[in-house]
Amino acid sequence: MTSKQTSFIYRNGLSLVLLALFAVSLAGQVWTGLRAFNDERADQGAAPVTLARYLHSGHFLSATFENWESEFLQMGMYVLLTVGLRQRGSAESRKLEPAAEVQDIAPGTPPWPVCRGGIWRTLYANSLSLAYLALFLLTFAGHSHGSWRHANQQRALEGMPGIDWAEHVGSAQFWFESMQNWQSEFLAVLSIVLLSIYLRQKDSPESKPVEAPHSQTGT
């Protein structure tokens, strides 16, 4: 291998760039969210809050976990749905005929749960979907807590009594917050499943080869 191919940045470029984009976007959310929140408070005759207080506010926690929740739901459902379901011609689908699938396993020592066998192998065989399930539940809890705090902060500014967490989670407002993000995530997945049938992106693993017929399923 060349020195370029053995460099840390080359071998991890995709995750590093995505991490940087995430950090920049999160910083932008914090900055603009703080300004929007303080503008909202000014309209209600309340004093502005500092950055430190804003990061602990229901406004920030709800917005952040609400988006993470929908992303983890999207990816988790995508992982599970592509196990058993097929889409003719999509680069995101397994082969229509299971017999045509060939696993590409490089030489080397298998992960230790595979060697251990039993329950460890079973858990490892489903660890990706289990991880997304755990992340979804954690972020759903964070969203519900932040949304509840924000709702009570707003009620306090309006001179209204607070409500308990269970009442808020059962409200239309909370589920509106969730559903508006969930539907957009499933639409995004549907778009790549269908668009990858007819459109191509040279050298992308999310695309079929440029020369491949539309009917070809998988990369």
Side-chain angles (χ1 to χ4, degrees):
M1 296 179 68
T2 66
S3 58
K4 177 184 176 182
Q5 292 174 318
T6 57
S7 71
F8 177 81
I9 293 178
Y10 182 84
R11 289 183 288 110
N12 300 279
L14 182 59
S15 57
L16 290 174
V17 169
L18 288 171
L19 180 60
L21 290 171
F22 165 73
V24 170
S25 300
L26 182 60
Q29 177 197 334
V30 170
W31 175 246
T32 54
L34 174 62
R35 294 180 62 185
F37 185 58
N38 280 334
D39 288 344
E40 185 179 298
R41 289 178 63 85
D43 291 340
Q44 297 169 325
V49 299
T50 63
L51 175 60
R53 281 193 61 192
Y54 176 67
L55 292 177
H56 291 86
S57 70
H59 185 276
F60 173 73
L61 295 175
S62 176
T64 302
F65 283 112
E66 177 185 337
N67 282 288
W68 292 359
E69 160 202 308
S70 62
E71 297 296 337
F72 292 134
L73 174 66
Q74 174 209 63
M75 296 306 299
M77 290 300 297
Y78 179 63
V79 167
L80 287 174
L81 291 175
T82 53
V83 171
L85 301 180
R86 307 289 194 273
Q87 175 58 55
R88 182 177 183 272
S90 176
E92 299 299 310
S93 172
R94 294 172 59 185
K95 301 291 186 182
L96 295 182
E97 295 295 333
E101 294 181 320
V102 178
Q103 290 188 326
D104 181 17
I105 301 177
T109 304
W112 72 264
V114 177
C115 299
R116 185 75 177 270
I119 186 63
W120 296 108
R121 183 187 177 98
T122 301
L123 288 173
Y124 187 69
N126 298 279
S127 56
L128 184 57
S129 57
L130 290 173
Y132 275 122
L133 174 62
L135 289 168
F136 169 72
L137 293 176
L138 287 172
T139 50
F140 183 86
H143 169 211
S144 66
H145 177 72
S147 179
W148 169 59
R149 286 183 57 185
H150 182 58
N152 278 338
Q153 288 165 356
Q154 294 300 106
R155 292 174 68 90
L157 289 174
E158 297 169 6
M160 300 171 62
I163 58 175
D164 60 30
W165 175 85
E167 182 179 353
H168 177 70
V169 171
S171 69
Q173 175 60 35
F174 174 74
W175 287 103
F176 170 72
E177 294 171 3
S178 292
M179 293 297 175
Q180 67 175 329
N181 277 315
W182 294 6
Q183 55 86 14
S184 66
E185 300 303 334
F186 292 133
L187 177 62
V189 172
L190 176 63
S191 70
I192 193 170
V193 167
L194 294 181
L195 290 177
S196 67
I197 297 175
Y198 304 103
L199 305 180
R200 308 288 189 270
Q201 179 56 58
K202 186 176 181 296
D203 297 332
S204 173
E206 300 304 312
S207 169
K208 293 181 293 190
V210 175
E211 298 81 6
H214 294 326
S215 60
Q216 180 177 324
T217 299
T219 54

